[in-house]
PDB file of all heavy atoms in Angstrom:
ATOM      1  N   LEU A 939     -29.065 -11.760  15.740  1.00  0.00           N
ATOM      2  CA  LEU A 939     -29.753 -10.631  15.160  1.00  0.00           C
ATOM      3  C   LEU A 939     -31.150 -10.990  14.691  1.00  0.00           C
ATOM      4  O   LEU A 939     -32.089 -10.159  14.808  1.00  0.00           O
ATOM      5  CB  LEU A 939     -28.973 -10.019  13.997  1.00  0.00           C
ATOM      6  CG  LEU A 939     -27.729  -9.255  14.513  1.00  0.00           C
ATOM      7  CD1 LEU A 939     -26.752  -8.902  13.263  1.00  0.00           C
ATOM      8  CD2 LEU A 939     -28.092  -8.028  15.271  1.00  0.00           C
ATOM      9  N   ALA A 940     -31.342 -12.179  14.135  1.00  0.00           N
ATOM     10  CA  ALA A 940     -32.665 -12.626  13.679  1.00  0.00           C
ATOM     11  C   ALA A 940     -33.567 -12.771  14.822  1.00  0.00           C
ATOM     12  O   ALA A 940     -34.800 -12.441  14.740  1.00  0.00           O
ATOM     13  CB  ALA A 940     -32.552 -13.941  12.955  1.00  0.00           C
ATOM     14  N   HIS A 941     -33.021 -13.207  16.015  1.00  0.00           N
ATOM     15  CA  HIS A 941     -33.868 -13.306  17.235  1.00  0.00           C
ATOM     16  C   HIS A 941     -34.303 -12.008  17.623  1.00  0.00           C
ATOM     17  O   HIS A 941     -35.481 -11.723  18.002  1.00  0.00           O
ATOM     18  CB  HIS A 941     -33.062 -14.085  18.316  1.00  0.00           C
ATOM     19  CG  HIS A 941     -33.792 -14.315  19.611  1.00  0.00           C
ATOM     20  ND1 HIS A 941     -33.149 -14.516  20.762  1.00  0.00           N
ATOM     21  CD2 HIS A 941     -35.101 -14.287  19.908  1.00  0.00           C
ATOM     22  CE1 HIS A 941     -34.069 -14.703  21.765  1.00  0.00           C
ATOM     23  NE2 HIS A 941     -35.324 -14.509  21.180  1.00  0.00           N
ATOM     24  N   ALA A 942     -33.288 -11.021  17.656  1.00  0.00           N
ATOM     25  CA  ALA A 942     -33.547  -9.674  18.048  1.00  0.00           C
ATOM     26  C   ALA A 942     -34.700  -9.030  17.222  1.00  0.00           C
ATOM     27  O   ALA A 942     -35.517  -8.358  17.687  1.00  0.00           O
ATOM     28  CB  ALA A 942     -32.272  -8.835  18.007  1.00  0.00           C
ATOM     29  N   ARG A 943     -34.619  -9.261  15.936  1.00  0.00           N
ATOM     30  CA  ARG A 943     -35.570  -8.675  14.992  1.00  0.00           C
ATOM     31  C   ARG A 943     -36.973  -9.308  15.356  1.00  0.00           C
ATOM     32  O   ARG A 943     -37.981  -8.508  15.314  1.00  0.00           O
ATOM     33  CB  ARG A 943     -35.212  -9.060  13.585  1.00  0.00           C
ATOM     34  CG  ARG A 943     -36.168  -8.361  12.563  1.00  0.00           C
ATOM     35  CD  ARG A 943     -35.718  -8.817  11.186  1.00  0.00           C
ATOM     36  NE  ARG A 943     -35.698  -7.828  10.239  1.00  0.00           N
ATOM     37  CZ  ARG A 943     -35.638  -7.938   8.899  1.00  0.00           C
ATOM     38  NH1 ARG A 943     -35.447  -9.063   8.388  1.00  0.00           N
ATOM     39  NH2 ARG A 943     -35.737  -6.952   8.126  1.00  0.00           N
ATOM     40  N   SER A 944     -37.022 -10.522  15.688  1.00  0.00           N
ATOM     41  CA  SER A 944     -38.444 -11.055  16.088  1.00  0.00           C
ATOM     42  C   SER A 944     -38.874 -10.544  17.350  1.00  0.00           C
ATOM     43  O   SER A 944     -40.083 -10.440  17.537  1.00  0.00           O
ATOM     44  CB  SER A 944     -38.344 -12.626  16.000  1.00  0.00           C
ATOM     45  OG  SER A 944     -37.565 -13.103  17.179  1.00  0.00           O
ATOM     46  N   VAL A 945     -37.940 -10.232  18.257  1.00  0.00           N
ATOM     47  CA  VAL A 945     -38.391  -9.585  19.541  1.00  0.00           C
ATOM     48  C   VAL A 945     -38.932  -8.129  19.344  1.00  0.00           C
ATOM     49  O   VAL A 945     -39.904  -7.811  19.853  1.00  0.00           O
ATOM     50  CB  VAL A 945     -37.285  -9.699  20.560  1.00  0.00           C
ATOM     51  CG1 VAL A 945     -37.565  -8.876  21.783  1.00  0.00           C
ATOM     52  CG2 VAL A 945     -36.966 -11.202  20.944  1.00  0.00           C
ATOM     53  N   PHE A 946     -38.195  -7.450  18.620  1.00  0.00           N
ATOM     54  CA  PHE A 946     -38.492  -6.006  18.479  1.00  0.00           C
ATOM     55  C   PHE A 946     -39.509  -5.696  17.339  1.00  0.00           C
ATOM     56  O   PHE A 946     -40.291  -4.688  17.544  1.00  0.00           O
ATOM     57  CB  PHE A 946     -37.197  -5.156  18.286  1.00  0.00           C
ATOM     58  CG  PHE A 946     -36.361  -4.980  19.521  1.00  0.00           C
ATOM     59  CD1 PHE A 946     -35.373  -5.891  19.904  1.00  0.00           C
ATOM     60  CD2 PHE A 946     -36.728  -3.999  20.390  1.00  0.00           C
ATOM     61  CE1 PHE A 946     -34.728  -5.791  21.069  1.00  0.00           C
ATOM     62  CE2 PHE A 946     -35.972  -3.833  21.561  1.00  0.00           C
ATOM     63  CZ  PHE A 946     -35.024  -4.704  21.882  1.00  0.00           C
ATOM     64  N   GLY A 947     -39.476  -6.514  16.401  1.00  0.00           N
ATOM     65  CA  GLY A 947     -40.415  -6.298  15.248  1.00  0.00           C
ATOM     66  C   GLY A 947     -39.983  -5.144  14.327  1.00  0.00           C
ATOM     67  O   GLY A 947     -40.272  -5.171  13.119  1.00  0.00           O
ATOM     68  N   SER A 948     -39.446  -4.095  14.854  1.00  0.00           N
ATOM     69  CA  SER A 948     -39.000  -2.888  14.054  1.00  0.00           C
ATOM     70  C   SER A 948     -37.528  -2.825  13.936  1.00  0.00           C
ATOM     71  O   SER A 948     -36.765  -2.851  15.001  1.00  0.00           O
ATOM     72  CB  SER A 948     -39.603  -1.617  14.731  1.00  0.00           C
ATOM     73  OG  SER A 948     -38.934  -0.574  14.235  1.00  0.00           O
ATOM     74  N   ASP A 949     -37.048  -2.702  12.679  1.00  0.00           N
ATOM     75  CA  ASP A 949     -35.582  -2.555  12.543  1.00  0.00           C
ATOM     76  C   ASP A 949     -35.081  -1.234  13.168  1.00  0.00           C
ATOM     77  O   ASP A 949     -33.988  -1.248  13.575  1.00  0.00           O
ATOM     78  CB  ASP A 949     -35.215  -2.671  11.064  1.00  0.00           C
ATOM     79  CG  ASP A 949     -35.460  -4.096  10.494  1.00  0.00           C
ATOM     80  OD1 ASP A 949     -35.512  -5.044  11.320  1.00  0.00           O
ATOM     81  OD2 ASP A 949     -35.426  -4.237   9.273  1.00  0.00           O
ATOM     82  N   ILE A 950     -35.835  -0.253  13.160  1.00  0.00           N
ATOM     83  CA  ILE A 950     -35.465   1.022  13.714  1.00  0.00           C
ATOM     84  C   ILE A 950     -35.299   0.903  15.241  1.00  0.00           C
ATOM     85  O   ILE A 950     -34.315   1.341  15.730  1.00  0.00           O
ATOM     86  CB  ILE A 950     -36.546   2.170  13.368  1.00  0.00           C
ATOM     87  CG1 ILE A 950     -36.556   2.466  11.831  1.00  0.00           C
ATOM     88  CG2 ILE A 950     -36.291   3.398  14.096  1.00  0.00           C
ATOM     89  CD1 ILE A 950     -37.716   3.282  11.265  1.00  0.00           C
ATOM     90  N   GLU A 951     -36.334   0.295  15.913  1.00  0.00           N
ATOM     91  CA  GLU A 951     -36.140   0.118  17.340  1.00  0.00           C
ATOM     92  C   GLU A 951     -34.987  -0.840  17.658  1.00  0.00           C
ATOM     93  O   GLU A 951     -34.221  -0.575  18.611  1.00  0.00           O
ATOM     94  CB  GLU A 951     -37.428  -0.512  17.968  1.00  0.00           C
ATOM     95  CG  GLU A 951     -38.554   0.432  18.095  1.00  0.00           C
ATOM     96  CD  GLU A 951     -39.804  -0.167  18.767  1.00  0.00           C
ATOM     97  OE1 GLU A 951     -39.517  -0.917  19.634  1.00  0.00           O
ATOM     98  OE2 GLU A 951     -40.877  -0.016  18.278  1.00  0.00           O
ATOM     99  N   LEU A 952     -34.804  -1.880  16.853  1.00  0.00           N
ATOM    100  CA  LEU A 952     -33.722  -2.725  17.069  1.00  0.00           C
ATOM    101  C   LEU A 952     -32.380  -2.005  16.805  1.00  0.00           C
ATOM    102  O   LEU A 952     -31.466  -2.241  17.670  1.00  0.00           O
ATOM    103  CB  LEU A 952     -33.877  -3.935  16.101  1.00  0.00           C
ATOM    104  CG  LEU A 952     -32.725  -4.897  16.044  1.00  0.00           C
ATOM    105  CD1 LEU A 952     -32.428  -5.458  17.489  1.00  0.00           C
ATOM    106  CD2 LEU A 952     -33.065  -5.987  15.198  1.00  0.00           C
ATOM    107  N   SER A 953     -32.288  -1.303  15.837  1.00  0.00           N
ATOM    108  CA  SER A 953     -31.067  -0.541  15.620  1.00  0.00           C
ATOM    109  C   SER A 953     -30.639   0.241  16.799  1.00  0.00           C
ATOM    110  O   SER A 953     -29.404   0.354  17.231  1.00  0.00           O
ATOM    111  CB  SER A 953     -31.143   0.271  14.297  1.00  0.00           C
ATOM    112  OG  SER A 953     -29.904   0.922  14.068  1.00  0.00           O
ATOM    113  N   GLY A 954     -31.589   1.009  17.388  1.00  0.00           N
ATOM    114  CA  GLY A 954     -31.333   1.749  18.553  1.00  0.00           C
ATOM    115  C   GLY A 954     -30.889   0.940  19.712  1.00  0.00           C
ATOM    116  O   GLY A 954     -29.954   1.326  20.536  1.00  0.00           O
TER     117      GLY A 954
END
Side-chain angles (χ1 to χ4, degrees):
L939 288 170
H941 182 197
R943 187 185 220 188
S944 74
V945 168
F946 284 92
S948 161
D949 290 343
I950 294 170
E951 283 184 43
L952 173 57
S953 183

